[in-house]
Amino acid sequence: MSVKVLEFKRPDEPHSAGEAICTHCKHEWVAVAPAGQRNLECPSCGSARGVFKWPFGPSVGDEGYKCNCGCEDFFIMRRGLQASGTVFCRGCGTEATGWFE
Ligand SMILES: [Zn+2]
Ligand SMILES: [Zn+2]
């Protein structure tokens, strides 16, 4: 699951490349990883909490939502028998509320 040691088994294997940011230490770098890989290994702190910024990140002028921990990435999950999905911070795992207040 490392982006530093990347070996494609097939030359046409789809991959993603772009700006990435670590939700743990906020390090930013350009990462290359197999398409669909969600967790990128941060070259700075070594955690697997890096994520691609592009194309999901806000552009200049957009208003982005940020967790109290500083993370701007979130999962939307439905756990167990819950009727609806809940948003969780990708950085600290806290349930995120108050989106449109
Ligand atoms: Zn990091
Ligand atoms: Zn958080």
Side-chain angles (χ1 to χ4, degrees):
M1 295 297 283
S2 170
V3 296
K4 287 185 293 188
V5 184
L6 184 66
E7 295 179 9
F8 292 122
K9 292 184 176 63
R10 289 175 287 124
D12 62 342
E13 184 171 351
H15 66 278
S16 303
E19 288 182 62
I21 185 169
C22 176
T23 61
H24 181 62
C25 72
K26 305 295 181 285
H27 178 68
E28 297 189 27
W29 76 104
V30 176
V32 179
Q37 181 168 328
R38 300 185 67 87
N39 298 306
L40 310 172
E41 183 177 314
C42 174
S44 178
C45 71
S47 75
R49 294 166 79 173
V51 292
F52 280 117
K53 294 170 70 178
W54 180 91
F56 311 109
S59 302
V60 175
D62 291 344
E63 182 179 359
Y65 290 92
K66 202 177 233 181
C67 177
N68 289 334
C69 75
C71 179
E72 295 179 347
D73 294 296
F74 301 91
F75 288 118
I76 302 175
M77 296 185 288
R78 185 167 66 186
R79 282 184 166 163
L81 298 175
Q82 286 181 331
S84 58
T86 307
V87 180
F88 293 92
C89 172
R90 190 166 185 157
C92 68
T94 302
E95 181 179 343
T97 58
W99 294 93
F100 303 109
E101 293 174 359

